[in-house]
């Protein structure tokens, strides 16, 4: 995806999120839920103006970051080598935020609707899609599995991101299926997080093995 397409898409997503918030604004109370527990029950409330437009504001900020982060990158960590992948991931994150925003507001307007499964399931799908692209991400300071060991060794970076891409895609797809068919959310979420965090441990173990073999 080129930068212009990414910018236009992200701007449209911010407009959609803000427009939906503006549409619902008159029908909501002054204080609305701003956080939910694992069971889908609200446990924090906030002023509706701030709560409704926080996510659209974050998406708008991400739009500004699409051209800003490559410009700010140090010379040895340029994003140009994977600019298309970078743009696509940024748009996927914005799309995930927009979908979460819409689902949360739907549950706010319709308290009888349980949005827990759609929210968790959608999140897992998006994380899986984003993770599937990790293999194309080159060393940089902004995205990817950035541990001390991946940043210290290009070999560790490549191997870790290839493994991470497979694990995150598989965990996201399987996790979403399990959530949507009615499996308990907490065990699925724990397994999902374990699969997405394992590459961090893998990067350390691989670095130490290559270091001991003087293959860094």
């Amino acid at each position: 995806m080129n930068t212009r397409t990414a910018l236009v898409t992200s701007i449209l997503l911010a407009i959609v999120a803000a427009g939906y918030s503006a549409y619902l604004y008159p029908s909501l109370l002054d204080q609305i839920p701003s956080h939910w527990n694992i069971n889908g029950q609200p446990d924090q409330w906030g002023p509706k103006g701030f709560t409704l437009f926080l996510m659209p504001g974050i998406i708008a900020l991400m739009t500004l970051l699409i051209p800003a982060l490559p410009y700010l990158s140090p010379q040895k960590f340029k994003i140009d080598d994977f600019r298309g992948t970078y743009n696509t991931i940024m748009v996927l994150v914005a799309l995930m935020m927009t979908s979460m925003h819409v689902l949360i507001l739907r549950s706010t307007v319709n308290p009888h609707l349980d949005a827990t499964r759609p929210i968790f399931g959608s999140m897992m799908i998006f994380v899986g899609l984003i993770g599937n692209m990790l293999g194309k991400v080159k060393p940089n300071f902004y995205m990817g599995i950035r541990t001390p060991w991946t940043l210290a060794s290009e070999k560790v970076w490549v191997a870790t991101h290839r493994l991470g891409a497979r694990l995150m895609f598989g965990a996201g797809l399987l996790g979403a299926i399990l959530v949507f068919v009615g499996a308990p959310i907490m065990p699925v979420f724990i397994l999902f997080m374990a699969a997405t965090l394992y590459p961090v441990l893998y990067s350390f173990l691989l670095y130490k093995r290559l270091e001991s073999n003087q293959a860094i």
Side-chain angles (χ1 to χ4, degrees), residues 4-54:
R4 181 177 180 180
T5 301
L7 285 170
V8 171
T9 304
S10 187
I11 290 171
L12 290 175
L13 290 171
I15 292 173
V16 168
Y20 192 56
S21 294
Y23 171 74
L24 294 178
Y25 187 91
S27 62
L28 296 174
L29 300 175
D30 291 338
Q31 295 287 320
I32 62 174
S34 59
H35 188 271
W36 287 256
N37 60 29
I38 191 66
N39 298 314
Q41 299 170 338
D43 54 11
Q44 291 183 20
W45 284 259
K48 68 176 180 180
F50 176 79
T51 304
L52 283 175
F53 294 100
L54 175 62

Side-chain angles (χ1 to χ4, degrees), residues 100-179:
M100 297 297 103
H101 182 65
V102 171
L103 289 170
I104 288 171
L105 290 187
R106 284 187 72 248
S107 67
T108 301
V109 176
N110 304 286
H112 62 282
L113 293 178
D114 184 3
T116 305
R117 289 190 181 278
I119 289 173
F120 273 98
S122 299
M123 180 190 69
M124 291 179 182
I125 290 174
F126 279 112
V127 171
L129 292 174
I130 293 170
N132 189 48
M133 306 189 71
L134 285 181
K136 300 177 182 179
V137 175
K138 307 296 183 183
N140 70 97
F141 284 145
Y142 306 118
M143 64 174 48
I145 306 169
R146 293 173 296 108
T147 69
W149 311 288
T150 56
L151 292 174
S153 168
E154 187 171 355
K155 291 181 180 178
V156 176
W157 177 283
V158 171
T160 299
H161 281 73
R162 286 176 178 172
L163 173 66
R166 294 193 297 269
L167 286 178
M168 290 179 68
F169 179 74
L173 180 61
L174 178 61
I177 292 173
L178 290 174
V179 167

Side-chain angles (χ1 to χ4, degrees), residues 65-75 78-80 83 86 142:
L65 291 178
I66 290 175
L69 293 183
Y71 175 77
L72 295 172
S73 295
Q75 184 65 37
K78 288 294 184 183
I79 291 175
D80 297 338
R83 187 63 176 266
Y86 163 82
Y142 306 118

Side-chain angles (χ1 to χ4, degrees), residues 2 6 8 11 40 62 73-74 77 91 98 120 166-167 176 199 214 216:
N2 62 45
V8 171
I11 290 171
M62 282 196 59
S73 295
F77 292 89
V91 169
T98 303
F120 273 98
R166 294 193 297 269
L167 286 178
Q214 298 183 341
I216 294 296

